[in-house]
Amino acid sequence: MNFKNFSLRKFKKPQIFALVAVFFAFLVSIPLLPLPALSNNTRANIQFVSPNWVAENAKDPNLRILDVRNFPLDYIEGHLPNAINVADTVFRGPKPGLPVQYWNTQKLGQIFASSGLTNNTRVLVYSDGRDVLGATMVAYLLERSGVKNIAVLDGGYAGYKAAGNVTKEFPKYSVGKFTVQDNPSIRVTLNDVRKLINKPGVTFIDPRPEKLFRGEEDIWIRNGHIPGARNIPWVTFTDGKNPHKLKSLDEIKQILADKKITPANDVIVSCSTGREATLQYVVLKHLLGYPKVRIYEGSWTEYSTQKDLPVETGPERAV
């Protein structure tokens, strides 16, 4: 057929309708090609790694090691080779009406860039002792900011020092170009919490010490816990001798089973200031594969100021 002078004006309406029908029949006959599957690289991964992992990956030019211990002389006295010291305390500060809140995304991006990170950097984070909470907090903020490959050193500085060589040399590096790619899906706001209290299928985990959970210590404006919350103090997930080292995942699974917490739950972890919550968040979501785990960043510091919200005291409800 010569299409050069082709025009629908030559056809009558019934003929036009017939041509349209043939055209759509032709389209339907074309097989649909499957859409490409989303790559797993679109999701962040946080893992706990051994000192051997550090040795195996030490020569990777794309790996940044963040020493987030808070006392500068600890870092100066000794640290992992090529580790950059950025105290976990620098990631938080005041906002009107509340202390110790996570900085806005712009400031978080500046901190990460100053530490030599880019959006494609692999990051290892470590601290020492009970400050494993600082390490998991920074790991959480890295995920929140769009970093995909994140590791926490199991056993922390003490565990590494017992197994590997430490140094006093300060690494030289270039300031990175880091653009925060905010991920709001891993956290909830105060307004979200208002809607989720006592909602079927939603479980609040409170990792604070038992006395704080029960409201037996007078610290906040109001003391107690979110109604229905399950109390799992964060230290129960860690080794008794070195709190920077996790218990076995089988032991942790049993702790959760005893509290009737399963992967089917929509889990919200809420603590004192949003720091303790990050350890259980990382374990449940990234190590155990719970599909829906989020953090209430404002935690009890914010919740306790809202006088219209309910507060429970005493032991947790019977399951």
Side-chain angles (χ1 to χ4, degrees):
M1 177 185 280
N2 184 3
F3 288 95
K4 184 175 181 180
N5 298 315
F6 180 81
S7 175
L8 285 176
R9 291 178 182 176
K10 298 180 180 179
F11 296 89
K12 296 180 180 180
K13 283 186 178 180
Q15 293 173 314
I16 293 174
F17 291 148
L19 285 171
V20 171
V22 170
F23 175 72
F24 278 104
F26 172 73
L27 287 180
V28 171
S29 68
I30 298 175
L32 293 176
L33 297 175
L35 293 173
L38 290 176
S39 168
N40 288 333
N41 292 331
T42 61
R43 295 184 57 208
N45 176 50
I46 302 177
Q47 56 182 324
F48 267 66
V49 299
S50 68
N52 287 338
W53 182 96
V54 180
E56 291 166 1
N57 290 270
K59 294 183 179 180
D60 182 353
N62 198 38
L63 177 67
R64 283 282 177 271
I65 302 176
L66 300 184
D67 179 319
V68 299
R69 290 179 291 174
N70 288 317
F71 190 48
L73 293 183
D74 286 342
Y75 171 81
I76 291 170
E77 184 180 1
H79 49 266
L80 271 66
N82 294 317
I84 301 158
N85 180 233
V86 50
D88 77 66
T89 53
V90 307
F91 291 93
R92 305 195 292 178
K95 73 177 186 180
L98 290 173
V100 289
Q101 301 300 297
Y102 293 128
W103 291 123
N104 59 43
T105 55
Q106 181 182 1
K107 190 159 186 174
L108 289 175
Q110 290 172 346
I111 295 169
F112 289 136
S114 296
S115 303
L117 274 62
T118 70
N119 290 89
N120 296 317
T121 302
R122 301 171 66 204
V123 186
L124 170 68
V125 189
Y126 74 89
S127 191
D128 205 13
R130 293 176 67 87
D131 281 340
V132 62
L133 301 174
T136 55
M137 184 190 82
V138 174
Y140 163 76
L141 290 176
L142 287 163
E143 177 186 9
R144 185 185 186 275
S145 300
V147 177
K148 302 302 182 186
N149 294 298
I150 308 154
V152 176
L153 180 56
D154 197 20
Y157 180 71
Y160 180 87
K161 187 177 180 181
N165 296 322
V166 298
T167 184
K168 293 186 178 183
E169 294 183 12
F170 306 144
K172 295 180 180 180
Y173 62 93
S174 299
V175 172
K177 184 178 180 181
F178 189 92
T179 302
V180 171
Q181 300 168 358
D182 187 40
N183 181 3
S185 69
I186 64 176
R187 63 188 189 269
V188 296
T189 65
L190 177 64
N191 287 334
D192 294 326
V193 170
R194 290 179 185 277
K195 301 171 186 176
L196 294 171
I197 297 171
N198 291 321
K199 185 176 180 180
V202 176
T203 299
F204 284 89
I205 296 179
D206 189 325
R208 294 178 296 160
E210 187 176 347
K211 286 187 176 181
L212 292 184
F213 177 85
R214 290 172 175 252
E216 295 172 357
E217 295 188 5
D218 185 16
I219 295 180
W220 286 274
I221 294 172
R222 298 187 298 160
N223 297 284
H225 56 267
I226 295 173
R230 316 306 299 165
N231 185 212
I232 308 177
W234 69 267
V235 292
T236 61
F237 275 23
T238 65
D239 182 88
K241 295 180 180 179
N242 180 358
H244 205 301
K245 186 172 182 60
L246 291 179
K247 288 180 177 176
S248 72
L249 292 183
D250 285 339
E251 290 175 287
I252 293 173
K253 286 178 183 178
Q254 188 58 54
I255 293 169
L256 294 167
D258 292 342
K259 295 286 185 176
K260 303 294 191 292
I261 297 171
T262 73
N265 298 114
D266 179 357
V267 177
I268 312 295
V269 193
S270 173
C271 57
S272 293
T273 66
R275 185 173 184 258
E276 296 159 287
T278 61
L279 175 67
Q280 293 183 346
Y281 165 84
V282 169
V283 172
L284 267 70
K285 179 181 178 181
H286 291 280
L287 304 189
L288 296 180
Y290 277 49
K292 196 166 185 181
V293 187
R294 293 172 288 173
I295 288 179
Y296 171 33
E297 292 181 356
S299 285
W300 198 252
T301 301
E302 180 180 49
Y303 188 98
S304 63
T305 66
Q306 307 298 306
K307 296 184 179 179
D308 63 314
L309 288 177
V311 171
E312 279 188 353
T313 57
E316 64 184 27
R317 297 177 189 175
V319 180

